[in-house]
Amino acid sequence: MGNNSKIDRSWLTSAKESIGQWSYIMLKDADNNDIDWDWVRSLDLEHGIGVATPADYEPGAGSNVHDLLKADLEIRDRLEAIIAKMSMVFMRDFDRHIKTYELPRALAYANRRLNDQIVLLRDRGVAEGLWTVTDEERQRVTVPVLTAARDGVVVDDIQDHTAEIVNARAEQRKADRAAREAQRHHRQMALFDADEVKYGSVEAGPDESAPADSSSDAGSPDYLVEGQPVINDDNPAVPGSEQIAVDETAVSEPTFAKYRHAAAEHVASRQNAETKEYWRAVFLPGRDVDKVMGIDLETNGTEPYRTYIIDVGFEYMNMKSPRPADAPSDYTYDKDYYQGGDAYDQHRFSFGVTPEAARHGNPFIIQLTGIDVSQRVGDEYPLFDEDAEAQADLLKRLTSQPFVAHMATFEHSFFMLNVAGYAEAYRNGHVTIIDTLPMSRLWDEGSIPCEGHPDGDNTLDAYAKRQGALREDDAERHLGLEDTHIMLLAMKHHLTQLKAEARGPWGPDGKAGVGGKRITKKRHFVRHERRTPMYD
């Protein structure tokens, strides 16, 4: 998909030319610390941002591995806090002060190499008998934990703080959401109160059983309605039924019913306008979706700013119209029982990792995918984040029709920091993303909650089995193209069933059009005070 024999890395330096644009908009990092953009400008993104040299990776080197590791971790934590904020800032830059997303991609490129260096420095400490390393789960992430292997070795100041950072940010987001929900609830209650004044209480109605003197508001302005005592404390505007015949100015029961209905409609309309609780619902397909490109990535880790794309598989499938008659139909997958279905234009591409990442290896990835990253080096395996041709080809495909992935935010996050032009295309509304994960969770009645899966088992493996795309005695392959294929087969089977049963996109809450997540409009703000931009 590309030839990396001649790699131009000058873009990493030129990317820093946009620092003026970023510094005008983005003053704080993801942890609310002030950003020193001069420090960012000083980083040598082309040649490495860590303090160690290749000689420092070797056991027995004369350098102090503890001090090198500590310095590299401090650089990584500082840089990643900046990268973590840049996506949100770029997408909310409605006035387009920031022209490109090249700087975050460049910082992520450099950070991946820095992370490789950190891992090898840890390995050196193990080899020298200074410490041991054990992976531990800590809430949302798994981190390597160092334990001193002999007396006098200090490891407290060189521990990985990723879990503390990520969990703290998650808790802050949770608190922010709770505050926004409280504000929303307060505004809604104010509207309810206004409706009661205008239409009458939604809950209260004419009280035919109350005694004529039940009002607790005697003497108040609300006590009399045309000289008659009020007998309904909940709704003073509505007298008892025995008074209606003698009080022509009282609110009649038909009128009350009309007002009650109008108030209920107001309540319902506001509830329907509320943000959906399940945020992935915006990635659902519409009932007019047709040609899509399914895609799946395999990587050597979960963080797009630390790890590499090593396997890409994608293919096309039409959800409504016939498969192109001229498309080849003899493609074979890794598992020969996979039905060809209506898939066409299949592609599988393999990419590599840096020599440093290959040297460390990754037994978990071997077990999961069968890919040995220690062998993914050399001209046969270009690095995706250095392969401009591969990125351009993929961007063209991603913007030509909706793309589908299972838990699509994973692919999206890697595209943002690996594919030149993707973030800009997404911000400008040229990318549409459909996710089969919310299809499984919201539209598949077989997704039954259980102890291990409170929202139901919505893994691709479980979803594909329920939709007949994967055998019950088999398992998800964890290779890009194979997983893409069973995902698209499951999606098409599912949509066919939903249409026949008038559910999902064809149900009462279904939507016309392609559906999926897409940036549809720009917002503009009028600023009364504006600082002078630091760029042309």
Side-chain angles (χ1 to χ4, degrees), residues 174-209:
K174 183 179 179 180
D176 292 342
R177 285 195 299 270
R180 289 195 298 270
E181 175 62 21
Q183 293 174 352
R184 184 202 63 79
H185 181 73
H186 177 74
R187 290 194 300 269
Q188 186 181 55
M189 290 300 101
L191 290 172
F192 285 174
D193 290 343
D195 273 355
E196 288 195 3
V197 172
K198 184 174 182 180
Y199 299 113
S201 171
V202 175
E203 298 299 329
D207 187 353
E208 299 181 1
S209 63

Side-chain angles (χ1 to χ4, degrees), residues 422-466:
Y422 175 85
E424 295 86 341
Y426 178 71
R427 185 173 73 168
N428 291 329
H430 303 313
V431 174
T432 301
I433 310 171
I434 294 174
D435 195 339
T436 52
L437 176 58
M439 290 183 63
S440 173
R441 180 174 176 182
L442 299 178
W443 294 343
D444 187 346
E445 63 279 0
S447 178
I448 302 173
C450 60
E451 183 177 354
H453 300 279
D455 297 313
D457 190 349
N458 299 299
T459 61
L460 177 58
D461 184 281
Y463 177 61
K465 287 176 179 176
R466 289 197 299 268

Side-chain angles (χ1 to χ4, degrees), residues 139-181:
Q139 289 182 268
R140 298 167 180 84
V141 294
T142 300
V143 294
V145 178
L146 275 59
T147 303
R150 60 175 186 247
D151 293 341
V153 175
V154 178
V155 296
D156 290 346
D157 59 344
I158 53 173
Q159 295 290 1
D160 192 307
H161 295 296
T162 302
E164 300 166 33
I165 294 169
V166 169
N167 291 326
R169 290 175 189 165
E171 289 302 315
Q172 184 59 53
R173 289 194 298 271
K174 183 179 179 180
D176 292 342
R177 285 195 299 270
R180 289 195 298 270
E181 175 62 21

Side-chain angles (χ1 to χ4, degrees), residues 458-477:
N458 299 299
T459 61
L460 177 58
D461 184 281
Y463 177 61
K465 287 176 179 176
R466 289 197 299 268
Q467 297 301 327
L470 186 64
R471 286 194 322 213
E472 287 293 335
D473 62 349
D474 202 359
E476 177 185 352
R477 181 61 183 86

